[in-house]
Amino acid sequence: MVPFSILDLSPVPMGSTVAQALRNTVDLARKAEGWGYHRYWLAEHHSLPGVASAATSIVIAQVAAATASIRVGAGGIMLPNHAPLVIAEQFGTLESLFPGRIDLGLGRAPGADQSTARALRRNLASNPEEFPQDVMELMQYFAPAQPGQGIVAVPGAGLSVPLWILGSSLFGAQVAAALGLPFAFASHFAPAAMMDAIAIYRQRFRASAQLQRPYVMLGFNVFAADSDEEARFLATSMQQACVNLRSGQPTQLPANAQAILADVLSCSAIGSPASVDQALRDFVRRTSPDELMLTCQMFDHTARLRSFEIAAQLLG
């Protein structure tokens, strides 16, 4: 198949706590490393009671410290929320502590509702449409410092931190192609533009110092269990959480609720190992990704571990 990785939002189930969610994240990362996962990424979201990874760089440091070889990174940092220099320093610090293991995925959405986005603003003039310029500014901070350079990221300058562009629309594909960066598409929750975005990225890609050929990673939901019935039951928590989020009522991850989300489920595998294997193969055949980024939001941590273990066995 293809290399496979994990995107984790550090889910907080109903009745649990953020502290337990973060302990679960470290537990999953350690096991994922043993199961052969290539990367372990954390997502930046804010003011959501069911997501514990808001301080993304701090959680990345904890995961990297608890593991030995798996790549750890952000999927992603929402750059309009942060000054590029601050992100260069944060991820320069992470790369200095864990050399050769840190990834930096970048997105232009705030990862929050409008009120929270205003509270997060780095200044009154922050504009998501300036995302490409922010990415290029960040790239400059990671370049080797030049004599007489006025602003230097310390740590950061001269360090090799791979940058990725994240996206759920054609805009991210265009930015990634123009800058010659790898592209991670959020097909696990917004797959409508996936095929067009892949085509635009591959057609318009320009080689860069970081990347010589296009590299596409696609998000994919996996809810694997020992039977189709169990997997369908476990998947209802994610379905209800998505409904709540899109209706403006974000909650912690519910124990069980029925919802049908046709767009999300089009890039999902729900079922027994045999069912998930077929869905994964069909998705890879249809999209030809260079890498899969698997995500799984389940109420029960043990069941979530089992889902990722089954996926690794199938993909490995």
Side-chain angles (χ1 to χ4, degrees):
M1 295 281 267
V2 296
F4 51 98
S5 300
I6 287 178
L7 174 65
D8 185 12
L9 278 67
S10 295
V12 186
M14 283 186 174
S16 188
T17 64
V18 166
Q20 185 59 53
L22 294 172
R23 287 193 290 270
N24 290 346
T25 282
V26 171
D27 182 44
L28 173 58
R30 285 172 172 156
K31 289 180 170 63
E33 186 171 63
W35 291 332
Y37 282 90
H38 185 48
R39 308 175 202 275
Y40 195 98
W41 280 8
L42 284 304
E44 178 187 347
H45 291 280
H46 299 278
S47 195
L48 296 180
V51 177
S53 55
T56 315
S57 59
I58 296 176
V59 185
I60 289 171
Q62 188 69 15
V63 169
T67 53
S69 59
I70 192 171
R71 296 194 66 87
V72 187
I77 291 295
M78 301 297 104
L79 203 49
N81 299 339
H82 312 277
L85 177 60
V86 172
I87 298 304
E89 292 172 342
Q90 289 180 2
F91 280 78
T93 300
L94 288 167
E95 176 63 24
S96 298
L97 291 169
F98 310 102
R101 296 181 56 205
I102 301 300
D103 297 326
L104 176 49
L106 301 167
R108 69 168 180 149
D113 58 64
Q114 291 186 353
S115 296
T116 304
R118 285 193 292 271
L120 284 165
R121 68 191 186 279
R122 65 187 193 225
N123 59 60
L124 293 175
S126 293
N127 183 358
E129 298 308 313
E130 296 177 355
F131 176 69
Q133 291 74 27
D134 289 341
V135 174
M136 289 187 286
E137 180 182 344
L138 181 59
M139 294 170 71
Q140 292 173 353
Y141 289 132
F142 283 122
Q146 301 299 311
Q149 182 173 326
I151 301 174
V152 180
V154 182
L159 295 180
S160 179
V161 178
L163 301 185
W164 291 68
I165 299 298
L166 279 58
S168 58
S169 68
L170 305 185
F171 181 84
Q174 295 167 351
V175 173
L179 298 179
L181 297 176
F183 180 47
F185 188 83
S187 38
H188 60 291
F189 75 84
M194 175 182 66
M195 298 306 293
D196 287 342
I198 294 171
I200 286 174
Y201 171 68
R202 287 176 170 158
Q203 291 166 5
R204 301 184 184 181
F205 179 82
R206 300 175 183 174
S208 67
Q210 178 178 325
L211 193 64
Q212 293 301 300
R213 58 177 297 275
Y215 193 96
V216 174
M217 180 159 60
L218 298 178
F220 193 81
N221 297 293
V222 172
F223 299 89
D226 293 325
S227 70
D228 288 338
E229 293 75 16
E230 182 186 2
R232 284 194 292 267
F233 173 79
L234 292 167
T236 58
S237 293
M238 177 278 294
Q239 293 167 12
Q240 185 60 58
C242 285
V243 169
N244 293 343
L245 179 60
R246 294 186 181 191
S247 63
Q249 298 175 322
T251 65
Q252 293 181 319
L253 203 62
N256 182 34
Q258 293 293 337
I260 301 300
L261 299 170
D263 56 344
V264 173
L265 296 181
S266 70
C267 291
S268 302
I270 302 173
S272 66
S275 299
V276 170
D277 185 49
Q278 187 62 53
L280 283 167
R281 291 181 183 278
D282 290 346
F283 182 73
V284 169
R285 189 179 303 112
R286 177 163 60 99
T287 59
S288 300
D290 297 291
E291 188 170 339
L292 288 175
M293 178 63 78
L294 304 182
T295 187
C296 173
Q297 307 304 320
M298 284 183 177
F299 177 81
D300 181 81
H301 178 59
T302 300
R304 188 168 179 246
L305 292 176
R306 177 63 178 149
S307 180
F308 279 120
E309 182 182 21
I310 290 172
Q313 291 169 347
L314 297 172
L315 290 166

